[in-house]
Amino acid sequence: MPSSYQAPSRKDKMQATTHSQSSQTNTTNEAASVRKILASKGQEVFALRPQNTLLEAAEMLRDKRIGALIVKDAAGELQGILSERDIVRRLAETPGETLKQTVGDIMTRNVEVCGPDDPLISLLRKMTEGRFRHMPVVENGAVVGMVTIGDVVNYRLTELEYESLQLKQLIVG
């Protein structure tokens, strides 16, 4: 069975290695922030308008292989968020009539947002307490990215793996 982590061997030292974290990022007192995730993930945001149909939204979710979409008005202002869960719940409530409904009919209007400099720990708390997995990143009133709970967990796992490697090198080295 493959493993996501394999301890380093002596042969590994002969090859050039790269890390998503560095000794500098792991030894600073600075808390990991949303900006660090966006720097590696990118800031591409997929959006639609409230008048789009749920069929259009479902197709975009499928084609982009994502779990949520930002909803903006014609001026580009954040109006809400629409997730796969929202669509599935509406499918159960209105079978056979769902896909022609509009995004504005079911989107979440009171969207929890974060800023690029927010610490990741605060995002994890908000997402866990609010039971949602996607959070738009807003800076100066504009959406500049989207962070998922998976992004935050993956960042922390990578951080822990790198810290573990550093400790092993100190012990062995």
Side-chain angles (χ1 to χ4, degrees), residues 4-169:
S4 65
Y5 171 77
Q6 188 166 349
S9 67
R10 288 192 177 118
K11 288 192 293 184
D12 292 336
K13 291 182 182 179
M14 293 185 283
Q15 300 172 355
T17 59
T18 60
H19 300 286
S20 61
Q21 307 289 315
S22 68
S23 57
Q24 181 182 3
T25 61
N26 281 314
T27 57
T28 63
N29 291 330
E30 172 185 343
S33 68
V34 173
R35 191 176 305 278
K36 289 183 180 183
I37 289 178
L38 292 179
S40 62
K41 173 185 179 170
Q43 294 181 278
E44 188 170 22
V45 176
F46 299 104
L48 37 65
R49 298 222 178 125
Q51 62 269 24
N52 286 105
T53 66
L54 292 182
L55 175 60
E56 292 170 311
E59 289 172 342
M60 187 181 283
L61 289 167
R62 177 200 64 207
D63 294 346
K64 302 299 183 185
R65 300 177 56 101
I66 55 176
L69 295 162
I70 297 294
V71 183
K72 294 181 179 182
D73 63 14
E77 295 290 319
L78 178 65
Q79 298 297 303
I81 190 168
L82 178 75
S83 72
E84 295 168 317
R85 282 182 182 178
D86 297 327
I87 295 172
V88 168
R89 286 184 182 126
R90 185 53 65 104
L91 281 167
E93 294 168 2
T94 59
E97 301 171 16
T98 306
L99 296 179
K100 60 187 174 197
Q101 295 177 36
T102 67
V103 168
D105 292 336
I106 70 166
M107 69 182 184
T108 300
R109 294 179 189 279
N110 297 324
V111 182
E112 286 278 346
V113 298
C114 63
D117 297 316
D118 288 356
L120 296 183
I121 191 71
S122 70
L123 262 67
L124 280 173
R125 284 192 183 114
K126 281 184 183 180
M127 290 174 155
T128 301
E129 290 169 5
R131 299 183 53 83
F132 56 88
R133 299 176 298 193
H134 302 84
M135 187 179 288
V137 183
V138 176
E139 185 173 36
N140 299 323
V143 177
V144 296
M146 175 90 88
V147 177
T148 69
I149 199 159
D151 296 331
V152 178
V153 169
N154 185 50
Y155 184 91
R156 184 61 183 138
L157 286 175
T158 303
E159 200 174 46
L160 289 171
E161 285 181 3
Y162 186 75
E163 289 171 7
S164 174
L165 284 172
Q166 293 300 310
L167 287 171
K168 286 179 183 177
Q169 287 177 355

